[in-house]
Amino acid sequence: MKAGVSIADGKTRFTVRSPRAEALTLCLFEGHAEQRVPMARDGDNWTVEIKADLRGTRYGYRASGQWNPSTGPWFDPAKLLVDPRAVELDKCFTYDPTLSAYGVDTAAIVPKAIVTTPEEVPTAPPLFRHGGLIYELNVRGFTMLHPQVPEAIRGTVAALAHPAIIKHLRSLHVSAVELMPLVAWIDERHLPPLGLSNAWGYNPVAMMALDPRLCPGGVAELRDAVAALRAEGIGVILDIVLNHSGESDVLGPVISLRGLDDAAYAKAPDGSLINDTGCGNTLDFGNPAVRELALDTLRHFISHCGVDGFRFDLAPIMARSPAFAPEAPIFAEIAADPLLADRILIAEPWDIGPGGYQLGTFPPNWLEWNDRFRDDVRRFWKREAGLGLLATRMAGSSDIFGKACRSVNFLAAHDGFTLADSLAYEQRHNWANGEQNRDGHGENFSWNNGIEGDTDNPDVLTARAACARALLGTLFVSTGTIMLTAGDEFGRSQRGNNNAYAQDNAITWIDWESRDLALEAFVCELSAWRYSVISALQHFPEDGMWQILKCTKMHLDDTSMHASDWESPLTPGFRWKNGTYGFTVQRDPPQAGPA
């Protein structure tokens, strides 16, 4: 019998996986009153049927058995445990030290799952087309300060359906929005003492349950927002975290999987937790139960919310057991699933474990975030890389992907400098994160154009504006799918913070009132051009000619580029063109865009 909650014939059945528990108890809540109902073992699961339709009822579980945190298991009947398959919660997670303390009851602070049977939506093909523009956004940061969005829905998924938001997305010809995590998360334990909170959501607990802060209307709110966006031709991709849980390391909280089935976590031979994620634990995709939970999570968001697909955070974890394997079973299981096989699948192709950098090794139907594009394009415009490397990235990174381009090209993402900050800061400025400026990437291939940070110097501002346009022009004419992080089209800054995960404040909230409207108009023009030739940008054409610039005024030589031209720092630039489209790159002054 499959784990989860089902309702049929006026009866509600609860089933939860916990192979090593000695006893399981269903806890039903009405107000502050808790009713405890013993469950019966059924193989690796525990189950109980209640002769009533319990839609809307709040519930959780308690598990009894051995307590041995150094190697697992973590059974403590004092801990209220959230159903790993919950789809709605009555409140958000709040970190508290008692969540880790044996024998301390946590029912008062742990969210309760809500019994619900979400409405299924008709399955429609993804709207997103390869070669299109993906727009990465944090729902809260994107909408909190938008002057046209009603205050009541600012910071929530419902705001994405507002006409002002949709108008902006359409002006950019966005093919799909990529929503940073919406699933219920918990703060890392070092943040509350610093007066900080997790603003990004990459620390989930219940993989299917939407966070009430972002989605107070639950599944219906996300479903309605997806429908509104799809009606305007905009797909929805969910950034999803299946690589670890917010239960953290050996000192972390006991709130869900850890208290039910500690075997879900990857272990070293000595029984200690493997930490290939950098988040304290790693879900073990060699365990069929973990893969089943992951697959059911994906199916849930397709069948009940209608999303186009998923971006997988630290995707190599899904192919580890414990080493990465390109033929890992999860890939075949997704490909064979009728709901999942045609979805948009995007890998963040690295983790911090051994052999964790796997750019170019995911299945042929997967797209991959290409950090080589970001770094090499920045290096070129910083005058640290040559024309040949730039052309390789613009032509689809065939050195990585071969002829079938699967690259997601980007200049900046949620982690790292914003585009504007990459041109205004040489060093990270992460003091607000409370880690003495040690966190975040140290090497960003950024440059400040003469002055670090904010300035009124007109020469510096002119240089930054030209570089921003050259970088954006490079992105929009490049072969492959492209991604723009929300606000980079109009100069959003995070004040030099390149790891703003704990800044749920003005550092990450987009300031719509002070955006650079000239830059925004420039990007809209680029995007309109790209949209008009989108089919030609899916794979780099074999026909066409590379031509050399013989001066710095975009004047072309009639001859083709030679090997020496590609490597020479004296080559002013190049143009590529065929019968469909073309693009030009000029070193000085910096300029790139359609020919």
Side-chain angles (χ1 to χ4, degrees):
M1 183 176 296
K2 198 166 188 175
V5 179
S6 60
I7 299 175
D9 301 324
K11 302 174 183 177
T12 305
R13 179 173 291 276
F14 297 82
T15 305
V16 63
R17 176 181 170 84
S18 188
R20 299 170 66 185
E22 296 173 5
L24 247 294
T25 302
L26 168 67
C27 306
L28 303 175
F29 291 87
E30 185 172 352
H32 296 293
E34 176 183 350
Q35 177 188 359
R36 300 187 181 184
V37 182
M39 304 180 75
R41 179 181 286 279
D42 182 8
D44 288 341
N45 294 336
W46 296 76
T47 186
V48 65
E49 185 176 82
I50 307 294
K51 294 181 178 179
D53 186 325
L54 295 181
R55 285 181 179 89
T57 299
R58 298 179 303 138
Y59 73 99
Y61 296 111
R62 296 181 185 270
S64 301
Q66 183 183 3
W67 171 269
N68 186 8
S70 61
T71 60
W74 301 65
F75 294 116
D76 178 1
K79 294 289 176 282
L80 186 72
L81 304 173
V82 174
D83 185 352
R85 293 171 178 274
V87 295
E88 291 194 11
L89 302 177
D90 67 345
K91 62 183 178 181
C92 61
F93 287 96
T94 303
Y95 179 79
D96 189 280
T98 62
L99 295 172
S100 307
Y102 182 80
V104 179
D105 197 286
T106 56
I109 57 177
V110 170
K112 284 75 176 174
I114 300 172
V115 176
T116 184
T117 53
E119 173 187 340
E120 291 198 2
V121 298
T123 303
L127 288 177
F128 175 79
R129 285 194 292 162
H130 177 39
L133 169 61
I134 294 173
Y135 191 75
E136 183 196 36
L137 66 88
N138 177 293
V139 167
R140 184 167 169 82
F142 186 60
T143 63
M144 277 297 291
L145 299 180
H146 199 294
Q148 294 176 266
V149 173
E151 288 191 23
I153 62 171
R154 289 181 188 174
T156 73
V157 167
L160 299 179
H162 189 274
I165 297 296
I166 290 177
K167 179 181 179 181
H168 182 71
L169 298 175
R170 285 181 58 85
S171 74
L172 291 168
H173 294 278
V174 169
S175 298
V177 290
E178 183 176 295
L179 307 182
M180 288 169 62
L182 303 179
V183 168
W185 73 88
I186 190 168
D187 288 337
E188 293 82 354
R189 65 176 176 272
H190 73 280
L191 293 179
L194 296 171
L196 300 173
S197 60
N198 190 314
W200 286 355
Y202 291 92
N203 206 35
V205 178
M207 305 304 177
M208 302 183 202
L210 296 164
D211 195 285
R213 288 167 288 197
L214 298 181
C215 215
V219 172
E221 181 172 339
L222 177 57
R223 181 184 67 234
D224 292 347
V226 170
L229 289 163
R230 285 184 63 90
E232 298 292 337
I234 302 168
V236 176
I237 297 168
L238 298 186
D239 189 341
I240 198 159
V241 182
L242 299 175
N243 56 77
H244 79 284
S245 90
E247 291 180 305
S248 188
D249 57 17
V250 70
L251 301 177
V254 181
I255 43 181
S256 187
L257 270 176
R258 170 167 283 165
L260 290 166
D261 185 13
D262 183 63
Y265 295 110
K267 304 286 184 63
D270 65 358
S272 61
L273 290 167
I274 291 175
N275 186 21
D276 288 340
T277 64
C279 301
N281 64 59
T282 302
L283 288 171
D284 183 5
F285 273 76
N287 182 338
V290 170
R291 297 200 304 275
E292 182 182 18
L293 177 60
L295 292 168
D296 284 347
T297 297
L298 304 181
R299 295 183 190 113
H300 163 67
F301 285 116
I302 294 169
S303 62
H304 297 133
C305 302
V307 302
D308 277 31
F310 306 92
R311 179 264 188 187
F312 297 94
D313 184 64
L314 303 182
I317 297 296
M318 300 169 65
R320 284 188 177 276
S321 184
F324 177 86
E327 67 283 358
I330 189 68
F331 297 134
E333 290 166 348
I334 290 175
D337 190 282
L339 266 182
L340 306 180
D342 71 340
R343 295 297 105 175
I344 305 303
L345 307 169
I346 304 174
E348 180 188 38
W350 50 80
D351 62 36
I352 69 165
Y357 190 76
Q358 292 294 332
L359 178 64
T361 65
F362 281 76
N365 63 319
W366 286 54
L367 302 178
E368 301 184 34
W369 270 27
N370 186 356
D371 63 330
R372 291 278 299 279
F373 181 95
R374 175 198 62 199
D375 293 348
D376 291 343
V377 169
R378 286 188 186 181
R379 288 174 59 219
F380 173 81
W381 292 111
K382 193 183 178 186
R383 313 300 175 93
E384 293 181 352
L387 284 167
L389 187 58
L390 178 71
T392 298
R393 295 291 159 256
M394 294 177 72
S397 296
S398 61
D399 59 330
I400 299 170
F401 300 105
K403 290 185 178 181
C405 179
R406 300 186 291 106
S407 179
V408 177
N409 303 322
F410 62 100
L411 302 169
H414 65 272
D415 52 348
F417 280 136
T418 68
L419 175 60
D421 285 354
S422 73
L423 303 173
Y425 296 89
E426 288 189 356
Q427 306 296 330
R428 65 193 176 202
H429 294 259
N430 296 355
W431 296 98
N433 297 349
E435 299 182 43
Q436 289 72 55
N437 205 36
R438 294 191 302 263
D439 61 305
H441 293 295
E443 178 54 82
N444 299 278
F445 304 109
S446 61
W447 67 105
N448 61 23
N449 286 280
I451 295 176
E452 186 78 353
D454 289 340
T455 181
D456 294 326
N457 185 298
D459 293 335
V460 172
L461 294 176
T462 297
R464 290 176 181 176
C467 289
R469 284 162 172 77
L471 283 157
L472 288 160
T474 304
L475 175 68
F476 274 84
V477 301
S478 293
T479 294
T481 293
I482 65 170
M483 184 180 79
L484 190 68
T485 297
D488 280 348
E489 71 272 25
F490 48 70
R492 178 181 72 100
S493 173
Q494 291 180 169
R495 307 172 192 172
N497 193 322
N498 74 350
N499 190 33
Y501 76 102
Q503 302 300 322
D504 185 17
N505 51 44
I507 291 177
T508 56
W509 296 354
I510 290 178
D511 182 359
W512 291 87
E513 299 283 10
S514 63
R515 64 192 196 272
D516 183 339
L517 296 178
L519 182 61
E520 183 178 333
F522 174 79
V523 174
C524 288
E525 290 179 5
L526 281 175
S527 194
W529 172 86
R530 183 179 179 92
Y531 184 78
S532 71
V533 296
I534 186 172
S535 297
L537 292 164
Q538 295 175 356
H539 305 287
F540 194 67
E542 294 186 4
D543 63 328
M545 177 180 291
W546 298 92
Q547 294 175 297
I548 187 172
L549 290 177
K550 65 180 183 182
C551 68
T552 58
K553 295 181 181 179
M554 304 300 272
H555 182 69
L556 291 162
D557 200 329
D558 292 333
T559 59
S560 299
M561 294 280 285
H562 300 291
S564 59
D565 299 321
W566 290 117
E567 301 306 323
S568 173
L570 300 178
T571 303
F574 61 77
R575 184 178 78 172
W576 180 90
K577 191 171 181 64
N578 72 354
T580 304
Y581 75 103
F583 54 83
T584 306
V585 169
Q586 175 180 287
R587 287 183 191 266
D588 191 18
Q591 186 174 339

